C-alpha cells in the first residue's frame, strides 16, 4: 500500500475498532525480503515494458528472473532464493498482486507496530502460537541477547533477523489490558480442547523457527491419551498429568503452565479449541460446507486440504478433501428432524456409490482406491470428528 493508503487504514481502525477489538495484520517483513528488492523492481520494470495486463507483466517479468537465475549470473541475491522457490508455480494473478505494485515495500515489524499505535493498537502476539515462546522461536545465542532487554520489541526484531521468515502474521488489540499470570492461567484452565488427529498419528516432535523441538513425553503422552477418549478442559488435562507424575515420583515440569500446554497442542495443529460442545451441526451449516467444498475443490484433487465449518468449534476444521467429501455425503442424512442424531454407519456399498459420485469417469482401480480411502477415513477419524461436533 502507498503511504497515504496505510495512513487511511490506521484511521479506519481508529474509527471502527472497538476497545478490546482485535485485528490481524499480515505483511512482507524485513530483513527476509532484502534480497527481493532488486528482483521486484526487475519484474515490475521488465514486465511493464512487455505487456499491458498485470498478470502477463508479472509472468514475463519472472521469466527474465528465472533466466538470470538459471544462468547463475550472480544477479539474484542468495537471500531471495527461498522466496523465489515459494513463488514457483504460483498463478500469474498472485504474482501480479505481489510484485506489480509501485508502492511495494516490505516492512520491519517495529515500524508497523509504531504506525498502529496511532489507532491505539498494541501488538499482542502471533496467531502461530508456538512463535510466541522465545525459547522456541530463537536459537540459544539470540535468546541470550533477547534476555538483555526489557522491551519485547527486541524479541520480535531478533525473530525476524535470525529466522528469515518472509511473512509475518501479527495480532493487535485496541487498548490492551494485560492479565496477571495467575488470571491468565485461571482463564486458560477453562478452555476445552479436542484431539484433531487420530491418536495413533500424534507426534511429540515438531518444527520451530529455531529448529526441531519435542514435547515432554511424561507430560504430553497422558494428555494425548485423555483427549483420545474425550474432550477435556486444560485444567483437567493438567491435573491428570500432575497426578500421574506424582504417582510415579516424577517432577511434573510444565504441569502448571496452561499457556504452554495450549500452545504446544493447538500450535502443532494436533488439537483444537472446542468452543461449545452443545452447538450441533445443522442444515444451514451443512449447506454452507457443501457450497464451500464445491467452490474450493473445483479443479483440484481430493487429496488437497479443505476446511469445513463446525459450530462446536466456533470456526473451521481443516481436513483432507477425501475426508471432507465423505463427511459431506454422510451429512446428506442431516435435516431439521435429524439434527443431533447418530448417523447410520456407511457400508462398502455406500462407499462404492460415493466413489462413483466423486469420479464418474473413473476406472475400477481408481474407484477401489477411493473406497479404500473412505474406509480408512471412517476407521481412523470417525471418532475424532464426532467428538469435535462434526458428525459422521
Amino acid at each position: 500500500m502507498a503511504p497515504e493508503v496505510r495512513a487511511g487504514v490506521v484511521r479506519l481502525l481508529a474509527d471502527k475498532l472497538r476497545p478490546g477489538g482485535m485485528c490481524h495484520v499480515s505483511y512482507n517483513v524485513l530483513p527476509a525480503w532484502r534480497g527481493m528488492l532488486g528482483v521486484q523492481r526487475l519484474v515490475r520494470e521488465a514486465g511493464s515494458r512487455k505487456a499491458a495486463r498485470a498478470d502477463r507483466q508479472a509472468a514475463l517479468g519472472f521469466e527474465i528472473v528465472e533466466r538470470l537465475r538459471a544462468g547463475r549470473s550472480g544477479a539474484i541475491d542468495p537471500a531471495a532464493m527461498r522466496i523465489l522457490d515459494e513463488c514457483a508455480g504460483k498463478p500469474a494473478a498472485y504474482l501480479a498482486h505481489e510484485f506489480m505494485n509501485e508502492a511495494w515495500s516490505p516492512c520491519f515489524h517495529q515500524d508497523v507496530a509504531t504506525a498502529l499505535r496511532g489507532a491505539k493498537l498494541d501488538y499482542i502476539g502471533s496467531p502461530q502460537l508456538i512463535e510466541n515462546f522465545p525459547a522456541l522461536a530463537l536459537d540459544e545465542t539470540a535468546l541470550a541477547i533477547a534476555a538483555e532487554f526489557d522491551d519485547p520489541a527486541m524479541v520480535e526484531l531478533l525473530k525476524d533477523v535470525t529466522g528469515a521468515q518472509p511473512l509475518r502474521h501479527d495480532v493487535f488489540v485496541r487498548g490492551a489490558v494485560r492479565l496477571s499470570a495467575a488470571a491468565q492461567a485461571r482463564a486458560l484452565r477453562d478452555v476445552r480442547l479436542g484431539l484433531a488427529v487420530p491418536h495413533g498419528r500424534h507426534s511429540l516432535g515438531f518444527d520451530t523457527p529455531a529448529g526441531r523441538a519435542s514435547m515432554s513425553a511424561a507430560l504430553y503422552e497422558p494428555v494425548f491419551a485423555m483427549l483420545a477418549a474425550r474432550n477435556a478442559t486444560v485444567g483437567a488435562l493438567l491435573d491428570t498429568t500432575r497426578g500421574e507424575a506424582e504417582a510415579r515420583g516424577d517432577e511434573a515440569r510444565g504441569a502448571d503452565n496452561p499457556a504452554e500446554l495450549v500452545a504446544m497442542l493447538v500450535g502443532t495443529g494436533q488439537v483444537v479449541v472446542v468452543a461449545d460442545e452443545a452447538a450441533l451441526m445443522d442444515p444451514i451449516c451443512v449447506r454452507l460446507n457443501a457450497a464451500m467444498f464445491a467452490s474450493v475443490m473445483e479443479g483440484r484433487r481430493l487429496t488437497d486440504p479443505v476446511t469445513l465449518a463446525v459450530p462446536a468449534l466456533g470456526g473451521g476444521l481443516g481436513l483432507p478433501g477425501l475426508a471432507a467429501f465423505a463427511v459431506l455425503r454422510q451429512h446428506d442424512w442431516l435435516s431439521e428432524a435429524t439434527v443431533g442424531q447418530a448417523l447410520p454407519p456407511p457400508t462398502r456399498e455406500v462407499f462404492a456409490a460415493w466413489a462413483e459420485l466423486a469420479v464418474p469417469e473413473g476406472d475400477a482401480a481408481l474407484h477401489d482406491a477411493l473406497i479404500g480411502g473412505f474406509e480408512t477415513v471412517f476407521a481412523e477419524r470417525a471418532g475424532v470428528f464426532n467428538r469435535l461436533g462434526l458428525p459422521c
Side-chain angles (χ1 to χ4, degrees), residues 130-355:
I130 289 174
E131 294 179 7
N132 296 308
F133 291 80
L136 297 175
L138 299 173
D139 61 28
E140 291 184 4
T141 303
L143 193 61
I145 293 172
E148 299 174 12
F149 299 89
D150 293 329
D151 188 351
M154 284 301 300
V155 174
E156 300 308 313
L157 180 57
L158 284 165
K159 287 180 188 178
D160 293 338
V161 169
T162 62
Q165 187 165 297
L167 186 68
R168 274 195 72 110
H169 292 274
D170 293 348
V171 177
F172 291 81
V173 65
R174 182 163 190 179
V177 178
R178 303 289 176 178
L179 293 176
S180 67
Q184 182 195 65
R186 285 195 301 271
L188 286 173
R189 283 180 65 87
D190 291 333
V191 173
R192 187 170 296 276
L193 302 177
L195 192 62
V197 298
H199 182 241
R201 296 194 180 186
H202 78 275
S203 173
L204 299 181
F206 58 98
D207 293 320
T208 77
R212 190 72 177 169
S214 181
M215 307 177 208
S216 163
L219 175 60
Y220 285 96
E221 285 294 5
V223 166
F224 279 110
M226 187 172 179
L227 290 175
R230 64 185 184 279
N231 301 335
T233 64
V234 171
L237 294 170
L238 291 175
D239 291 344
T240 296
T241 56
R242 184 185 300 107
E244 293 194 10
E246 291 173 351
R248 294 192 305 268
D250 297 338
E251 181 182 353
R253 183 178 177 274
D256 291 318
N257 191 340
E260 179 181 317
L261 183 135
V262 171
M264 296 303 101
L265 296 175
V266 179
T268 58
Q270 301 180 92
V271 170
V272 293
V273 174
V274 182
D276 182 5
E277 279 190 311
L280 301 176
M281 180 66 67
D282 59 27
I284 293 177
C285 196
V286 169
R287 291 195 294 272
L288 170 64
N289 284 332
M292 290 194 300
F293 181 88
S295 175
V296 171
M297 297 302 292
E298 185 176 4
R300 299 173 67 186
R301 298 168 299 178
L302 280 176
T303 52
D304 292 336
V306 68
T307 298
L308 298 183
V310 184
L313 304 183
L317 179 68
L319 59 164
L322 183 73
F325 180 86
V327 169
L328 289 174
R329 297 289 65 77
Q330 277 291 82
H331 289 180
D332 291 339
W333 291 89
L334 280 176
S335 67
E336 296 290 354
T338 59
V339 167
Q341 296 182 16
L343 301 180
T347 63
R348 185 173 177 84
E349 288 72 23
V350 170
F351 291 148
W354 291 356

Side-chain angles (χ1 to χ4, degrees), residues 105-140:
S105 55
C107 310
F108 280 100
H109 162 78
Q110 193 166 8
D111 295 337
V112 174
T114 298
L116 291 179
R117 287 195 198 107
K120 301 181 180 179
L121 295 176
D122 298 302
Y123 173 71
I124 58 171
S126 168
Q128 313 297 330
L129 298 184
I130 289 174
E131 294 179 7
N132 296 308
F133 291 80
L136 297 175
L138 299 173
D139 61 28
E140 291 184 4

